[in-house]
């Protein structure tokens, strides 16, 4: 291929044939803004930001689509071009929520927000999940703070959460097309494309099917290439930008795909594909499941030794001694049952142990399910050998086999029935916590590099085996690093065998995903996999039917704006005694967490209560996934102190996020008591405001505020408070919403000398004053929000303490999002096994 | 069989059709005729002929459109005297009379008689002397309404495929030279010289090339292509065959919108006939040239009229424009060199190859040769499909061909080029209609929509109408078009509602400029034209909406109210019957009253009133 030169901004640039003008400019170190361009995608020309002027060419061609030509003279910076680019940017941001660029409270919020909002949502006060790595935001700010004067026109789509691993918020989409283009590049026929036309044009699947039935393989490429917060990995999204990216391999199956492991704080966030092409793609389990497995609450974290009926936690030395004793006792009668998805070093050490102890070595293929002929063969061999002891690195054989043994040692990363029955359990590191090498089923050797820390006392398996060998007093177990073993293997005669290949290819067909990992059913650890029909313990079915005959029926349920769910629930006893300012505690199911929610409305006659539930974490998401007709296991209440309703004069009620609904009963009561009631509500963008009609009916004035100025006052409740106080005497101010808003408005009202009540929302467990979790400091006194509150004098609140107590469990809350039962998957599983959905997902 | 022999056979068929002694009835039954009830008229003739026992001795044909939409249903009747009379506005109730009086007794039925085909008489003018027809030159529409579109022999007999026979002996390069010499420019709107375009596609070496006929006519109110496809499908298919021969393509596609079922049916019939007679398939007319044609139905997206989107759609992808370069002539359909021409261009191509480049170049102006069809619509007396020589002035089209503005209202502007075009104000009525002159005044030739606007039409509202269309039809791919159309529509809606500000005018210009210069394809680049040209010529009207909260044309519902002038009202009750919300009341023969609270300002009463008694303010 030849090369030639062209002139860009007076600079001569030499490029290869086939290069675009944009590539040539980059070669010359000239930066041109663009959002739809991506190095791994073909030119597309949709965002129109990269327009340039070319001598002899009419108009303003996009540099990303124009092939460079010899002698071309290109101008990338001119007044005209910058006008066009600024206007195009303005047009783009008139359809993309832009409060992240223009919110007046941005800096203060970032300072006072205890952590990234843990919410499993993107639009709360304009800080979307991708804020820390948003290409769009970076482009917008590349030429300084952009001037956005066009009024916004938002699409106001509902969020999409009905597939197992992705959250999609098309309100944030700018239609750069990267997602569907990478899908087409990797999979040929894309599962997604632009659907509809004009202002309703958006990314979607054919015939609006759920992604599960769209041909999507859940490779995650669309998420990784999305420049905005539109497409996100449900598990990783709230954990922020990864700190490290480590090249390694995924050994969940014998394919041993190369991955880039993203990690933060020594925790795995996700395995991602090392390059955007078909050969490098990952399966749903590797892309989305690996991190959930590594971070699972089913991890084995301590060595345990059986004492009678019980498994007792031991320290490593004692546990290794117990294991060594058991093995030595049955030398010659030991069966080694080892998974084929073990690293080469692990298999080498197991083989060495087996030789030294005259045991039999059996390799279990990754895809072997109970009843598999390979397993039957192994069982027969064990019987033939007359084995009395068993060493397994996973629940690879049935419990019957294990119970026959006089001694069994389980070295595993995850809890199982086998570890429950074992004589000794040694906790192992897994996947991203391990280093070494792996021979894939095609025979290639892949490097494994650790990037995350094993939980608790868990250790790398090679270390466990080395220490076991040393404890047994065997020779040849004196390695200090895993590389020493690798070297020993390389020097040994003969090549280690490749693990048996699988029949299917899960990377290109979700129906061919492996169902077990080292004997564990993967869907038990990653419940969302049930959406693909992967087998699971019966736990989910049991739970989903529990309490369906008794409980509290949901009469009405709708997502009034993205992430805000309105509920009407049959709860006569609550409705009968409810007073303004009180709250209830809900449990979706018998095993759910208890979560408090402020009462929005109630009707003693019909025995119903209404709530607005904002999705912020696992429990609220669990509630949000319920539908009218479903039952809640528990509704406890009314709880807390009612607001004192008296005539104060003019009362200003400020509501944000869930507080917009929560101020409604207060406004109604205060109005009935003869006050002049002003309601001020805030949201980041116009389409996130709600209940305007209802609030108008119970107040003398309703004032709206949006952070991006798309409707009403530009700003939030702060601005409403200041402007109202300038206009008229305010005798009482009440704020309900996020801690940041309540804190900021309280500071303002202190200066304005307005008595202020705030509804505090600390972490709460029982709601009856027993546990003390909701402890708050008010004017130096320790009070409980559940029985002394939730309304307190805002000027007396210790806000710093509240913020720190609220964020105490943030990591666990983020982790919990992927744990336990994934209800979105459950919905499809329970109501729509095929492509006819009666599950309410609307597809 | 040689082509000459084939032609002789066709002539024999035509002579039977054309013999004066044969009683013959032609019913204009293209989609336009059918909408006016031609199928019912046709059935009535069938029944009547059977009853009169004339069915054996009378030939009854469905033919295409003569272009006189205002006069549909059109029926041509020839009795045994050989005289051919064209009747207008025929309804089933007239059929018995027509058969009895004209067909049997040979007497003209005067109430519906419009013209005489061939030479005229004192009492009945000749068809070609009708004021609507006289200024026209029919090249594209040469056969429409005169032949049976389902009969290839009719097309052959009138010179069809003789151009192909000639071309196949000339060789592709000579055909391209002939096209260049004719001066034909693309009739899809952009006006790129056809011969040059063919030359590019021919010059790209490739084993497989394609030609495409763009029959995705999407402009609201435009129906030129449909009429040709329905009335004379072979004229288009022959053009496509010639294009394929010229560039070296072996496969042709006709991309036709699914909303044209009759056109698609006619195309499919015609393609089958071409195969049967050896005009398609292998070794066409013994020349060694192989060619086949497929019809691809479009799903109705306006943007699929844009060539790169159209090709995406044929490939089974979402119709979305692609950046050029590469141009289709280099990398088009399935990545192969491709040539796309529109229906009207191809119908001209077949005529040029039949009659020669110099004949064609004799029509029109120096830079814009030949003729152009227009779908004449709006506030004009004679709506219809017309074909005029390039360079004719607007006045001739509007006043002579169209018969002037309807209802005696004042002429205000004419809109050409549909949603991509612009408005030409009344003071430019002497403008010549050619590519250059139209572009000079900010409009475009476009594919041929021509909407006449009278004093009662509001220019802001009209711009808003077109933006409603483009906002809906924007594919959404590029930012300036997707968001720009939304903002233009938003601002125009605000202005027509009387809530605009003067700053809005600046916004309209800025957004329009951005769309024009930064959009990806023609749709976005031209979508602001209706706004920009009305702003250019009718800024006063915009200002009146903003500053005076008034709509001078009395069209914007939010800014007007209707009253009845008691001095003029005769109490006939027409307005009350026309009112959709029953807001008008009054005793018979007494002046009526409009209930202002109930009135929705739709203007129906004003249109219904025959005494100009409904006032708007």
């Amino acid at each position: 291929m030849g090369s030639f030169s062209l002139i860009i901004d007076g600079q001569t640039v030499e490029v290869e044939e086939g290069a675009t003008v944009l590539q040539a400019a980059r070669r010359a170190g000239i930066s041109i803004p663009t959002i739809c361009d991506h190095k791994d995608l073909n030119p597309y020309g949709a965002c129109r930001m990269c327009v340039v002027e070319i001598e002899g060419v009419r108009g303003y061609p996009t540099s990303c689509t124009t092939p460079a030509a010899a002698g071309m003279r290109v101008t990338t910076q001119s007044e005209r071009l910058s006008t066009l680019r600024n206007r195009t940017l303005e047009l783009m941001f008139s359809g993309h929520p832009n409060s992240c660029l223009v919110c007046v409270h941005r800096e203060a919020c970032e300072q006072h927000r205890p952590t990234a909002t843990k919410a499993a949502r993107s639009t709360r006060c304009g800080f979307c999940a991708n804020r820390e790595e948003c290409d769009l935001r970076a482009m917008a700010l590349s030429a300084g703070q952009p001037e956005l004067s066009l009024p916004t026109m938002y699409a106001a789509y509902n969020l999409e959460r009905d597939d197992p691993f992705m959250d999609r918020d098309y309100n944030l989409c700018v239609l750069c097309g990267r997602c569907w283009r990478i899908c087409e590049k990797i999979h040929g026929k894309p599962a997604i494309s632009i659907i509809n036309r004009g202002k309703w044009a958006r990314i979607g699947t054919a015939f609006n099917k759920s992604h599960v039935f769209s041909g999507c393989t859940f490779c995650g490429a669309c998420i990784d290439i999305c420049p905005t917060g539109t497409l996100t990995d449900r598990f990783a999204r709230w954990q922020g930008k990864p700190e490290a990216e480590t090249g390694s391999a995924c050994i969940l199956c014998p394919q041993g795909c190369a991955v880039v492991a993203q990690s933060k704080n020594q925790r795995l966030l996700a395995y991602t594909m090392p390059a955007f092409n078909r050969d490098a793609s990952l399966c749903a389990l590797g892309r989305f499941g690996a991190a959930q497995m590594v971070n699972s609450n089913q991890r084995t974290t301590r060595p345990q030794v059986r004492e009678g009926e019980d498994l007792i936690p031991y320290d490593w030395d004692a546990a290794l001694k117990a294991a060594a004793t058991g093995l030595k006792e049955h030398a010659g009668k030991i069966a080694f049952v080892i998974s084929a998805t073990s690293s080469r070093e692990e298999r080498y050490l197991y083989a060495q142990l087996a030789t030294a102890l005259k045991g039999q070595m059996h390799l279990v293929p990754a895809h072997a399910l109970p009843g598999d002929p390979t397993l039957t063969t192994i069982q027969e061999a064990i019987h033939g050998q007359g084995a009395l002891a068993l060493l397994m690195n996973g629940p690879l054989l049935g419990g019957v086999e294990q119970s026959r043994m006089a001694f069994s040692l389980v070295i595993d990363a995850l809890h199982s029935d086998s570890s429950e029955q074992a004589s000794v359990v040694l906790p192992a590191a897994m996947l991203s916590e391990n280093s070494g090498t792996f021979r894939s089923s095609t025979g290639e050797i892949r490097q494994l590099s650790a990037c995350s820390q094993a939980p608790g006392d868990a250790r790398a398996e090679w270390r466990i085996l080395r220490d076991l060998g040393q404890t047994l007093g065997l020779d040849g177990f004196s390695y200090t690093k895993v590389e020493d073993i690798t070297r020993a293997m390389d020097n040994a005669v003969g090549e280690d065998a490749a693990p048996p290949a699988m029949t299917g290819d899960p990377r290109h067909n979700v129906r061919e995903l492996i169902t077990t990992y080292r004997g564990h059913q993967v869907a038990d650890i990653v419940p969302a996999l049930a959406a693909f029909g992967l087998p699971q313990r019966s736990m989910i079915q049991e739970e989903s039917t529990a309490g369906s005959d008794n409980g509290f029926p949901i009469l009405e349920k709708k997502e009034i704006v993205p992430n805000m769910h309105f509920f009407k629930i049959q709860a006569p006893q609550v409705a009968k005694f409810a007073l303004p300012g009180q709250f209830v505690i809900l449990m979706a199911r018998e095993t759910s967490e208890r979560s408090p929610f402020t009462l929005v409305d109630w009707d003693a006659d019909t025995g119903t209560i209404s709530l607005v539930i904002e999705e912020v974490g696992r429990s609220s998401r669990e509630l949000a996934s319920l539908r009218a007709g479903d039952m809640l296991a528990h509704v406890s209440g009314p709880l807390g102190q009612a607001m004192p309703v008296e005539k104060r004069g003019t009362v200003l009620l400020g509501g944000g996020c869930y507080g917009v609904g929560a101020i409604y009963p207060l406004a109604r009561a205060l109005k009935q008591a003869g006050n002049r009631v002003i309601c001020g509500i805030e949201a980041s963008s116009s389409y996130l405001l709600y209940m305007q009609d209802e609030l108008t009916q119970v107040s003398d004035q309703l004032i709206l505020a949006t952070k991006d100025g798309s409707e009403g006052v530009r700003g939030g409740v702060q601005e409403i408070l200041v402007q109202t106080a300038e206009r008229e005497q305010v005798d009482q101010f009440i704020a309900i919403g996020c801690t940041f808003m309540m804190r900021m408005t309280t500071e303002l009202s202190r200066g304005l000398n307005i008595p202020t009540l705030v509804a505090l929302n600390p972490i709460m467990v029982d709601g009856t004053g027993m546990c003390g979790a909701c402890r708050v400091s008010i004017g130096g006194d320790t009070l409980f929000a559940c029985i002394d509150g939730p309304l307190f004098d805002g000027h007396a609140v210790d806000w710093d303490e509240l913020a720190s107590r609220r964020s105490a469990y943030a990591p666990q809350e983020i982790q919990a999002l992927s744990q336990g039962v994934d209800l979105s998957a459950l919905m499809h599983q329970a109501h729509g096994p095929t492509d006819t959905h009666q599950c309410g997902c609307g597809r | 069989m040689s082509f000459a022999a084939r032609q002789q056979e066709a002539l024999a068929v035509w002579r039977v059709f054309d013999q004066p002694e044969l009683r013959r009835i032609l019913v204009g039954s293209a989609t336009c005729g059918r909408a006016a009830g031609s199928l019912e008229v046709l059935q009535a003739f069938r029944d009547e002929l059977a009853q009169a026992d004339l069915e054996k001795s009378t030939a009854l044909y469905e033919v295409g459109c003569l272009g006189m939409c205002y006069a549909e249903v059109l029926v041509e009747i020839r009795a045994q005297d050989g005289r051919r009379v064209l009747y207008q506005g025929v309804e089933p109730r007239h059929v018995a009379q027509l058969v009895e009086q004209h067909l049997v007794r040979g007497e003209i039925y005067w109430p519906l008689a419009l013209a005489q085909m061939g030479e005229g008489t004192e009492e009945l003018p000749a068809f070609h002397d009708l004021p609507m027809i006289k200024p026209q030159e029919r090249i594209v529409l040469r056969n429409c309404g005169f032949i049976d579109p389902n009969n290839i022999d009719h097309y052959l007999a009138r010179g069809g495929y003789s151009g192909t026979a000639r071309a196949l002996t000339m060789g592709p390069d000579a055909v391209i030279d002939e096209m260049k010499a004719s001066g034909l420019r693309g009739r899809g709107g952009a006006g790129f010289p056809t011969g040059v375009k063919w030359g590019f596609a021919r010059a790209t070496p490739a084993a497989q090339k394609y030609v495409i006929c763009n029959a995705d006519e999407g402009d609201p109110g435009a129906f030129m292509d449909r009429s040709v496809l329905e009335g004379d499908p072979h004229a288009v298919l022959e053009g496509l065959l010639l294009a394929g021969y010229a560039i070296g393509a072996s496969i042709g596609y006709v991309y036709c919108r699914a909303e044209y079922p009759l056109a698609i049916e006619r195309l499919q019939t015609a393609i089958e006939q071409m195969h049967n007679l050896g005009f398609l398939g292998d070794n066409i007319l013994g020349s060694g040239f192989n060619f086949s044609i497929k019809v691809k139905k479009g799903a109705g997206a306006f943007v699929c009229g844009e060539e790169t989107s159209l090709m995406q759609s044929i490939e089974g992808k979402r119709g979305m424009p692609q950046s050029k370069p590469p141009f289709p002539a280099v990398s088009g359909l399935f990545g192969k060199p491709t040539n796309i021409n529109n229906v009207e261009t191809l119908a001209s191509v077949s005529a040029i190859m039949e009659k020669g480049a110099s004949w064609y170049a004799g029509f029109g102006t120096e830079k814009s040769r030949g003729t152009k069809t227009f779908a004449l619509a709006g506030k004009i007396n004679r709506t219809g499909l017309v074909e005029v020589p390039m360079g004719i002035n607007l006045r001739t089209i509007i006043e002579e061909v169209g018969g002037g503005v309807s209802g005696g209202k004042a002429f205000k502007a004419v809109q050409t080029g549909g949603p991509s075009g612009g408005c030409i104000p009344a003071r430019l009525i002497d403008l010549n209609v050619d590519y250059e002159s139209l572009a000079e005044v900010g409009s475009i030739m476009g594919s041929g929509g021509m909407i006449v606007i009278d004093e009662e039409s509001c220019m802001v509202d009209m711009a808003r109408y077109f933006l409603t269309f483009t906002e809906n039809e924007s594919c959404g791919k590029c930012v300036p078009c997707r968001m720009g159309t939304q903002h233009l529509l938003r601002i125009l809606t605000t202005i027509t509602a009387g809530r605009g500000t003067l700053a809005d005018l600046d916004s309209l210009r800025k957004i329009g400029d951005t769309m024009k210069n930064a959009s990806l394809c023609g749709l976005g680049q031209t979508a602001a034209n209706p706004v920009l040209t009305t702003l250019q010529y009718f800024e006063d009207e915009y200002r009146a909406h903003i500053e005076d909260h008034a709509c001078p044309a009395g069209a914007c519902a939010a800014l007007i109210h209707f009253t009845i002038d008691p001095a003029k009202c005769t109490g006939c009750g027409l307005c009350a019957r026309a009112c959709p919300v029953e807001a008008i009341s009054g005793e018979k023969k007494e002046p009526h009253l409009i209930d202002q609270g109930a009135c929705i300002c739709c203007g129906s009463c004003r249109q219904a009133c025959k005494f100009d008694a409904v006032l708007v303010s």
Side-chain angles (χ1 to χ4, degrees), chain B residues 172 175-177 179-181 183-204 209-214 243-244 246-248 305-308 310-311 324 327-331 337-343 345-346 349 435:
Chain B
V175 172
I176 290 175
D177 288 343
M179 248 353 98
K180 285 180 184 166
L184 175 65
R185 293 170 63 174
R187 297 294 191 248
F192 193 80
T194 305
V196 178
K197 193 171 181 177
W198 288 9
F200 289 149
R202 172 151 187 82
T204 312
K209 297 182 190 180
Y210 296 99
V211 283
I212 299 172
C213 168
N214 181 350
I247 73 153
E306 192 279 337
E307 57 184 8
T308 58
L310 187 153
M311 291 188 295
K324 294 182 275 193
F327 288 92
V330 175
S331 172
T338 304
N339 177 72
I340 302 193
N341 291 121
N342 117 307
V343 166
T345 312
L346 292 173
V349 162
Y435 290 103

Side-chain angles (χ1 to χ4, degrees), chain A residues 740-789:
Chain A
F740 167 72
M741 183 274 277
M742 292 194 288
R743 179 177 194 166
M744 294 295 117
T745 50
T746 297
E747 275 172 24
L748 289 171
S749 69
R750 192 196 312 273
L752 295 163
N753 272 324
I754 303 172
T756 298
L757 286 175
V758 289
L760 297 189
N761 45 12
I763 291 167
M764 198 176 277
V765 180
D766 62 275
T768 57
M770 290 189 293
C771 72
C774 64
R775 176 168 66 80
V776 289
S777 294
I778 310 292
D781 293 335
T782 295
L783 297 175
F784 292 159
C786 65
I787 51 167
D788 302 316

Side-chain angles (χ1 to χ4, degrees), chain A residues 186-451:
Chain A
I186 292 176
H187 304 289
K189 277 202 188 89
I192 47 172
S193 178
I194 302 182
I195 57 168
N196 304 335
R197 285 201 299 261
K199 68 174 167 187
W200 301 114
R202 47 166 294 184
I203 302 292
T205 58
F207 310 110
N208 242 0
K209 283 188 173 183
S210 157
H211 280 55
V212 176
F213 300 106
S214 69
C216 175
T217 67
F218 293 88
C219 72
C222 53
I223 291 174
D224 298 334
I225 209 163
C226 176
T228 69
T230 308
L231 305 179
T232 45
D233 174 341
R234 186 171 299 150
F235 177 76
R237 68 184 304 189
W238 296 108
Q239 315 206 21
K241 202 172 178 168
E243 270 168 6
E245 298 201 322
T246 313
S248 189
C250 167
I251 58 169
L252 282 164
C253 84
Q255 290 192 333
C257 301
V259 296
V260 169
Q262 296 183 337
S263 58
K264 186 173 188 172
N265 297 329
Q266 288 290 302
R267 281 163 51 87
L268 179 68
L269 301 184
Y271 276 165
T272 58
M273 53 176 73
F276 284 118
N277 60 54
R278 186 175 173 85
D279 293 339
S281 63
L282 300 179
C283 72
L285 181 63
R287 173 63 181 80
F288 296 100
Q292 296 190 40
M293 292 175 77
V294 169
N295 294 299
S296 165
N297 57 3
Q298 297 174 43
R299 289 293 298 271
T300 311
T301 55
R302 301 184 71 179
Q304 288 169 299
V305 176
R306 181 163 302 281
E307 291 183 7
E309 290 289 294
D310 301 315
L311 278 171
I312 305 296
Y314 271 42
D315 66 27
W316 269 106
D317 285 347
L320 284 166
K321 268 195 194 107
T325 311
L327 291 174
K328 210 176 250 172
E329 199 177 309
H330 300 97
K333 293 284 179 192
I334 309 172
F336 285 72
V337 180
I338 304 304
S339 167
T341 51
S342 305
S343 74
R344 290 171 72 224
E345 292 75 13
E346 288 155 12
R347 282 167 60 185
Y348 180 72
L349 292 187
Y350 277 120
Q352 282 203 316
L353 272 181
T355 311
L357 295 170
K358 300 189 180 62
Q360 266 188 13
M361 186 69 178
H362 304 285
L363 204 64
V364 180
H367 56 268
L369 298 170
D372 190 279
T374 326
L375 290 177
T376 319
T377 315
I378 293 173
Q379 276 165 351
E380 281 163 5
I382 294 174
H383 295 159
Q385 183 200 7
L388 292 171
L390 184 61
L391 195 169
M392 298 193 291
N393 68 349
L396 295 159
L397 286 182
V400 184
E401 220 56 60
Q402 200 181 357
S403 61
R404 280 209 195 102
M405 298 293 163
F407 178 81
S408 68
L409 169 61
V410 172
I411 303 174
D412 196 4
L414 292 153
H415 186 78
S416 70
D417 288 346
S418 293
S419 53
E420 199 79 353
Q421 282 188 35
S423 313
V424 178
V425 179
L426 299 178
M430 70 188 286
L431 300 176
S432 59
E433 295 153 5
N434 281 327
S435 293
T437 57
F438 182 75
R439 189 179 289 278
S440 75
S441 52
T442 51
E444 288 149 86
I445 293 180
R446 300 264 158 79
Q447 194 67 41
L448 306 173
S449 304
C451 69

Side-chain angles (χ1 to χ4, degrees), chain B residues 299-333:
Chain B
F302 180 60
V303 76
C304 285
E306 192 279 337
E307 57 184 8
T308 58
S309 309
L310 187 153
M311 291 188 295
Q312 293 276 306
S313 177
I314 292 181
E315 290 178 23
K317 297 173 182 164
R318 182 177 194 261
M320 265 195 299
Q322 309 297 303
S323 294
K324 294 182 275 193
F327 288 92
V330 175
S331 172
L333 188 62

Side-chain angles (χ1 to χ4, degrees), chain B residues 409-489:
Chain B
K409 299 284 188 317
F411 171 60
K412 180 167 166 184
V414 62
Q415 207 276 352
T416 65
S420 318
C423 272
I424 302 161
R427 64 180 162 85
L428 296 176
I429 194 170
D430 289 311
L431 187 80
N432 291 341
V433 176
D434 57 57
Y435 290 103
E436 284 69 29
S437 308
L438 285 171
E440 231 165 74
V441 298
S443 187
I444 59 166
M445 178 76 81
S447 57
M450 188 176 277
I451 298 165
V452 175
I453 295 157
D454 72 3
E455 57 189 329
E456 287 180 4
S457 308
C458 169
M459 303 311 279
V460 188
D461 191 49
M462 196 206 58
R464 192 187 62 84
Y465 164 76
F466 279 118
L467 259 300
T468 311
F469 180 82
T470 36
E471 188 231 22
N472 249 314
E473 291 293 343
S474 164
C475 82
K477 179 176 175 177
C478 80
V479 174
C481 175
R482 181 180 76 242
M483 296 310 302
T485 50
Q486 288 181 50
H487 281 288
L488 291 183
L489 179 60

Side-chain angles (χ1 to χ4, degrees), chain B residues 40 43 224 334 344 362 382 404 414 431 433 437 463 511 580:
Chain B
E40 289 77 15
Q43 189 56 43
M224 299 75 60
F334 302 111
E344 193 180 335
R382 290 193 284 265
V414 62
L431 187 80
V433 176
S437 308
I511 296 166

